[in-house]
Amino acid sequence: MRMPRIFRTAPFRLTLLFVLLFASAAFAFLAYIYVATAGEATRRTDQEIRREMRSLVDVYDRAGIDAVNQSLIQRAASEKPFLYLLLTKDGRRISGSIEESPVEDFAGQPAWATFQVTDMDAEGREVKHPARGLQQQLHGGEILFVGADAGEDEAYVARVVRALWASVALVVLLGLAGGLLVSRNVSRTMVDLISVVERVRNGEQGVRARVRGARDEFDELAQGVNEMLDRLERSMQGHKHAGDAIAHDLRSPLTRLRARLETAYIDVEAGKGDATEALAQALDDTDGVLKTFGAVLSIARLQAAGQAPNPTLFDPADLAADISELYEPFCEEKDIEYASEIAKDLTVRGNREFLAQALANILDNAVKYTPAGGAIMLRVRRRSSGEVEFSVTDTGPGVPDEDRERVIQRFVRLENSRNEPGAGLGLSLVAAVAEAHGGRLELSEGPGKVGEMGPGLRVAFILPRA
């Protein structure tokens, strides 16, 4: 028969382990208490016996055997809890409260003995009690034995032991009950999480774990699971959207590529026309398709790794200067005013190749959408928070507020950019690079509308303090 689920849970097993450890410790403590209590009772009894023996020896030394005999008779008739026996030199009984000595093979040296005495209870039944005594030879050769009933001491020790056993049993029962309660609560929480995982595995993407509000590790686990599921859902939606967008955006260039190649083939077969121009255009289309796939692979690589590969510490001023030198001729060719403000002695930690590609994508977009007569400004600076900011500001048409979050998504292109070359992956790659470096991407309005230009766009990606 299979055990109930609660008895198979890890918390209940841990509870059993802790109860077992506690019971073992309690047993060891109980043994120590027993030994210490019993030992103390024995020491106390021995001290009282020695004290009584010295008293009788003093009587003997002062007044002789008759005085000791008289003292034994008086003391045995009193309420003192001692047992007495006075013997002659050859071992014959003179007087005392017991008939014979419990010490065997007495050689004249003080000797201890543990024995039992028989008494009558209130109902007339014989009851045996443990006793302990000391036998000693007097100066005249007589033998004196003094003992004491140890029944009360052992009864006290037994009561202490019973109380400790009852306490241990109570604690074990309470521990098991508490373990069952804790295991039930933990099992209920874990069953909820397992149910969420099972439902997600069966295809329910919108299900989430319940956060109880207790702010404990189970809430942290539930929040972590929910964040993971949110990210998984976004990733799956992104892959679905990317697949749809790739199919949509690459259909046209691939169709044009095939048409040009087919036209060039027909012209060459007919012996008329020059296929060079068609082939050159086909190569341009092929480069565009490969560039699109390269950007998609770069984004996927960053998102899969979760962080920038091979990060190093370097000064971003050199990187920004190289990119600025690369794009300044393009701006001059398009009659765009270009300027840069690059702070020195900054330090960032990241992958130089990916950061250069991100900055190049931002500048490429700025050059692409800024009309002739406009302006572009590249800035690299340290924020008051210690973060390093790369920003590009242009005087192009800008991006409306409601589209700024959407334009960062892959393959999203606004209506005013449909006539420009590209696949809508530039800002997506920048956002992926910023996220992989622990930073963020910010889009805001540029310098504002001036004449027929503007309002422009300011794109900044911020890296954390190195």
Side-chain angles (χ1 to χ4, degrees):
M1 184 177 65
R2 192 175 184 182
M3 296 175 61
R5 179 184 178 85
I6 190 172
F7 295 109
R8 293 182 282 111
T9 59
F12 184 77
R13 293 175 181 173
L14 288 176
T15 300
L16 286 181
L17 176 61
F18 281 116
V19 168
L20 178 62
L21 291 176
F22 178 80
S24 301
F27 181 78
F29 179 71
L30 179 65
Y32 170 77
I33 291 294
Y34 174 78
V35 171
T37 305
E40 179 61 27
T42 301
R43 284 192 297 272
R44 186 179 61 194
T45 301
D46 290 352
Q47 289 176 357
E48 292 176 354
I49 292 173
R50 289 192 185 96
R51 190 181 301 112
E52 187 71 9
M53 176 67 77
R54 285 195 299 268
S55 174
L56 291 173
V57 170
D58 289 342
V59 171
Y60 177 82
D61 292 339
R62 289 195 310 267
I65 188 66
D66 292 335
V68 172
N69 187 26
Q70 184 66 29
S71 180
L72 287 181
I73 295 173
Q74 294 176 353
R75 296 188 183 194
S78 67
E79 296 181 355
K80 290 187 176 182
F82 290 104
L83 305 171
Y84 303 102
L85 179 63
L86 182 61
L87 304 175
T88 61
K89 296 179 182 180
D90 54 2
R92 289 183 292 107
R93 182 177 185 276
I94 300 176
S95 64
S97 57
I98 59 176
E99 295 299 326
E100 59 182 11
S101 172
V103 178
E104 299 178 359
D105 301 327
F106 181 68
Q109 298 298 324
W112 288 92
T114 301
F115 59 103
Q116 287 186 333
V117 294
T118 303
D119 197 3
M120 304 297 291
D121 61 7
E123 299 179 358
R125 292 176 300 183
E126 290 187 354
V127 179
K128 292 186 177 182
H129 298 286
R132 182 172 172 78
L134 172 64
Q135 185 166 293
Q136 182 174 329
Q137 191 169 30
L138 301 177
H139 298 307
E142 295 87 352
I143 299 172
L144 177 62
F145 178 85
V146 178
D149 189 341
E152 292 186 2
D153 291 337
E154 290 203 358
Y156 170 74
V157 173
R159 288 195 299 271
V160 171
V161 171
R162 284 195 299 270
L164 290 174
W165 273 118
S167 300
V168 171
L170 180 61
V171 169
V172 169
L173 289 176
L174 291 177
L176 289 174
L180 286 173
L181 180 62
V182 171
S183 300
R184 187 182 65 177
N185 293 335
V186 172
S187 179
R188 185 183 303 162
T189 303
M190 295 307 297
V191 165
D192 291 341
L193 291 174
I194 293 172
S195 175
V196 169
V197 173
E198 185 68 23
R199 292 170 64 184
V200 171
R201 187 167 56 186
N202 291 333
E204 296 184 43
Q205 299 296 326
V207 65
R208 294 294 182 269
R210 181 174 63 91
V211 179
R212 301 172 302 163
R215 298 183 179 180
D216 55 8
E217 60 273 15
F218 293 110
D219 276 356
E220 293 179 3
L221 177 60
Q223 290 173 353
V225 169
N226 290 341
E227 291 175 2
M228 179 186 66
L229 292 176
D230 290 339
R231 186 169 182 179
L232 178 62
E233 186 176 13
R234 288 195 302 268
S235 177
M236 294 184 67
Q237 291 177 351
H239 281 89
K240 181 178 181 299
H241 177 69
D244 296 341
I246 287 176
H248 178 270
D249 283 19
L250 294 186
R251 183 185 296 113
S252 296
L254 289 175
T255 301
R256 288 195 302 269
L257 174 61
R258 187 184 187 286
R260 289 193 178 95
L261 290 174
E262 186 177 6
T263 301
Y265 176 74
I266 293 173
D267 289 343
V268 170
E269 284 289 324
K272 60 179 181 179
D274 187 3
T276 303
E277 183 179 353
L279 290 175
Q281 187 62 47
L283 287 175
D284 291 339
D285 291 342
T286 304
D287 290 338
V289 172
L290 293 176
K291 184 177 180 181
T292 298
F293 275 113
V296 171
L297 290 176
S298 296
I299 295 173
R301 176 185 172 190
L302 287 173
Q303 291 180 339
Q307 60 182 2
N310 305 321
T312 58
L313 291 173
F314 64 93
D315 189 346
D318 297 334
L319 182 148
D322 292 341
I323 301 297
S324 180
E325 183 178 355
L326 178 65
Y327 276 87
E328 190 170 0
F330 291 104
C331 293
E332 292 179 358
E333 182 180 345
K334 198 175 176 181
D335 192 21
I336 296 174
E337 182 181 349
Y338 179 83
S340 61
E341 294 178 1
I342 302 174
K344 302 290 186 180
D345 299 326
L346 302 179
T347 302
V348 296
R349 180 179 180 84
N351 183 287
R352 185 185 180 95
E353 178 184 349
F354 277 114
L355 291 175
Q357 187 175 1
L359 186 57
N361 282 8
I362 298 176
L363 279 170
D364 189 70
N365 279 347
V367 174
K368 186 187 302 181
Y369 296 110
T370 301
I376 295 175
M377 169 67 78
L378 168 65
R379 289 186 178 90
V380 180
R381 66 185 182 94
R382 185 191 303 277
R383 288 190 165 190
S384 58
S385 60
E387 299 171 310
V388 175
E389 175 189 281
F390 297 79
S391 67
V392 175
T393 306
D394 62 55
T395 58
V399 176
D401 291 345
E402 62 272 15
D403 292 328
R404 286 176 188 166
E405 290 188 6
R406 192 169 64 90
V407 78
I408 298 176
Q409 300 174 7
R410 285 181 293 182
F411 297 104
V412 172
R413 303 185 67 192
L414 302 181
E415 291 300 325
N416 58 3
S417 64
R418 287 292 179 180
N419 295 328
E420 297 290 339
L425 291 170
L427 291 180
S428 299
L429 179 59
V430 177
V433 170
E435 183 178 355
H437 286 80
R440 62 190 183 278
L441 179 64
E442 294 180 355
L443 272 65
S444 58
E445 189 174 291
K449 197 167 184 65
V450 180
E452 296 182 358
M453 292 189 183
L457 181 67
R458 180 178 180 273
V459 180
F461 70 92
I462 298 97
L463 300 182
R465 183 200 305 265

